[in-house]
Amino acid sequence: MQAVILAGGKGTRLRPLTVYTPKPIVPVVNRPFLLYQIEVLRRAGIKNITLSLSYQPDKIEDVLGDGSEYGVELRFITEPNPLGTGGAYRFAADELRETTVVLNGDILTDFDLSTILSFHREKGSAATLALKSVEDPRTYGLVESDTDGRILRFIEKPKPEDLDELAVNTINAGIYVLEPAILDLIPKGENRSFEYDVFPEIMGRKMPFFAYVLDSEYWRDIGTPASYLTAHHDFLDGTIKGFELERSQHTDIATAAIVDSRSVLGDDCVIKPGARVSNSVLGPGVHVEEKAVVENSVIWAHTRISTAADIRDAVIGRSCHIGRNVVVSAGSVLGDKTALTDYTKV
Ligand code: GDD
Ligand code: MG
């Protein structure tokens, strides 16, 4: 059993965070994001993992290494040009003709993959998708399945009329179990999308195509800043369980500073007297000066928050300088190396 993680997208919706850091390794509670997926795969006994890359591949390879540190074997394959989700799978899995778990590289889940693997085998399925119920399916692939789990319809990014017609709210969760027969539907080296090309083709050919609906498992696409921030809040309030959070012991927190018990700080953070940090994640080397407030926010490594600055519900990139008395308000997303002059309001 092997896995392919599709991690070649540009992460445009996560800009500016993805300008210098490709989406697969954006820090989530101070760990490169893909480590959560690697852990889920490893728990299901899947150690042979290929990362299908296209955008900033060297940075991803440098950060993750060969996987031995995480108990898996990582292989990196970079497309000469983006081949789409289906084309990338063929490019990465071609010579390994075996059952493969394919993951979209931006979904955060604690799903026990062994359940979908058993389901896939029981059904004799050629392709099995995990589905999740969501309130608003418009930005996903809408999937209709029958009571037996057979997939009846797949509509990527459904339009209002599609939503009226299909009274379902189950979407493609970006977790697939595929038999090698699926490789043969994708011409080698050509651009193909699972969602627009391959899945419709599977249905057209009436191959066994099944859905496994996630229930209480945590699931989220972290591909937008709002979702990325919510993922952090879900970690801090325990909504997502099963992953160990690393709280550094090497921090310098003034006795007259308040850091609540939910917040996670990386190594070498400095929190000065009168500062307050709550429900937030601070990367390594972040400085929060006197009387500054950081609430419900994510601050990447080596950023400095000056005296009496006020940061709420925001994401701030690496090595930023936030001046004195600056106000960063809800929904702000600042790219790496942003410098805000004293008293700026964003
Ligand atoms: N290697 C490679 N090459 N990877 C790619 C390419 C490519 O050309 N294009 C996209 N990817 C990767 C992205 O990096 C991402 O991890 C994954 O494929 C899905 O792409 P997104 O751009 O994040 O798609 P989406 O979020 O709009 O929609 C997809 O995910 C939803 C669930 O989160 C679809 O699969 C929907 O059907 C699904 O509901
Ligand atoms: Mg996505």
Side-chain angles (χ1 to χ4, degrees):
M1 180 79 62
Q2 58 157 351
V4 171
I5 301 180
L6 299 171
K10 280 197 170 151
T12 47
R13 282 163 297 174
L14 255 192
R15 283 179 189 153
L17 300 172
T18 45
V19 171
Y20 298 107
T21 310
K23 181 164 72 168
I25 52 166
V26 293
V28 172
V29 198
N30 291 340
R31 297 176 82 199
F33 175 67
L34 279 187
L35 291 188
Y36 296 99
Q37 292 202 341
I38 288 170
E39 193 165 326
V40 163
L41 290 167
R42 189 180 47 78
R43 283 181 198 161
I46 304 167
K47 295 184 176 165
N48 180 351
I49 303 171
T50 301
L51 298 187
S52 162
L53 309 177
S54 173
Y55 178 66
Q56 302 191 344
D58 300 344
K59 286 191 185 168
I60 299 175
E61 201 168 339
D62 283 352
V63 166
L64 298 177
D66 65 2
S68 52
E69 206 181 315
Y70 317 111
V72 297
E73 273 174 49
L74 295 180
R75 200 166 67 104
F76 299 87
I77 293 206
T78 302
E79 296 145 49
N81 51 296
L83 290 171
T85 47
Y89 159 64
R90 166 105 206 224
F91 193 72
D94 202 24
E95 73 253 43
L96 306 158
R97 296 187 66 89
E98 56 174 298
T99 309
T100 302
V101 172
V102 176
L103 299 179
N104 279 354
D106 60 353
I107 51 151
L108 174 62
T109 184
D110 56 6
F111 180 36
D112 174 1
L113 292 170
S114 62
T115 56
I116 194 173
L117 289 168
S118 314
F119 174 87
H120 175 85
R121 277 187 222 108
E122 272 163 34
K123 295 289 183 188
S125 183
T128 303
L129 314 186
L131 307 187
K132 181 77 183 174
S133 294
V134 296
E135 268 175 30
D136 181 2
R138 280 177 300 179
T139 56
Y140 302 104
L142 186 65
V143 188
E144 185 187 20
S145 55
D146 67 15
T147 46
D148 193 35
R150 204 170 281 276
I151 294 181
L152 307 173
R153 299 272 290 273
F154 188 106
I155 306 175
E156 184 65 14
K157 310 290 187 285
K159 300 193 175 58
E161 55 269 30
D162 299 322
L163 294 170
D164 290 342
E165 199 190 317
L166 259 72
V168 295
N169 67 348
T170 37
I171 58 107
N172 166 26
I175 302 168
Y176 317 138
V177 185
L178 305 178
E179 290 304 317
I182 304 303
L183 288 171
D184 303 327
L185 306 178
I186 306 166
K188 200 171 179 179
E190 286 187 28
N191 189 303
R192 284 290 186 284
S193 154
F194 272 129
E195 297 83 351
Y196 291 103
D197 306 314
V198 182
F199 296 153
E201 172 105 27
I202 294 172
M203 274 184 284
R205 291 178 182 243
K206 302 202 169 7
M207 295 166 86
F209 190 24
F210 284 89
Y212 180 94
V213 184
L214 300 179
D215 179 24
S216 57
E217 295 90 348
Y218 183 91
W219 183 91
R220 167 173 296 282
D221 178 326
I222 59 133
T224 63
S227 185
Y228 172 79
L229 183 57
T230 304
H232 283 81
H233 296 155
D234 291 344
F235 270 108
L236 300 186
D237 72 11
T239 303
I240 175 162
K241 298 177 190 73
F243 297 106
E244 200 82 27
L245 300 184
E246 283 168 34
R247 289 189 155 81
S248 174
Q249 306 302 316
H250 306 281
T251 52
D252 178 3
I253 303 175
T255 37
I258 300 170
V259 176
D260 75 343
S261 58
R262 276 195 185 181
S263 295
V264 172
L265 276 54
D267 284 343
D268 305 318
C269 284
V270 178
I271 317 291
K272 292 283 181 65
R276 183 167 66 80
V277 176
S278 64
N279 198 38
S280 295
V281 175
L282 274 49
V286 168
H287 284 226
V288 182
E289 309 279 1
E290 281 83 356
K291 295 187 182 144
V293 173
V294 178
E295 194 176 276
N296 305 333
S297 295
V298 176
I299 317 288
W300 288 10
H302 306 296
T303 279
R304 182 175 288 267
I305 316 259
S306 306
T307 304
D310 190 299
I311 320 288
R312 304 201 190 225
D313 299 279
V315 182
I316 301 186
R318 275 180 78 93
S319 303
C320 294
H321 179 88
I322 309 298
R324 298 164 75 98
N325 295 83
V326 162
V327 176
V328 178
S329 50
S332 298
V333 185
L334 306 183
D336 293 357
K337 300 179 198 160
T338 298
L340 295 182
T341 308
D342 297 352
Y343 296 95
T344 299
K345 291 184 171 55
V346 291

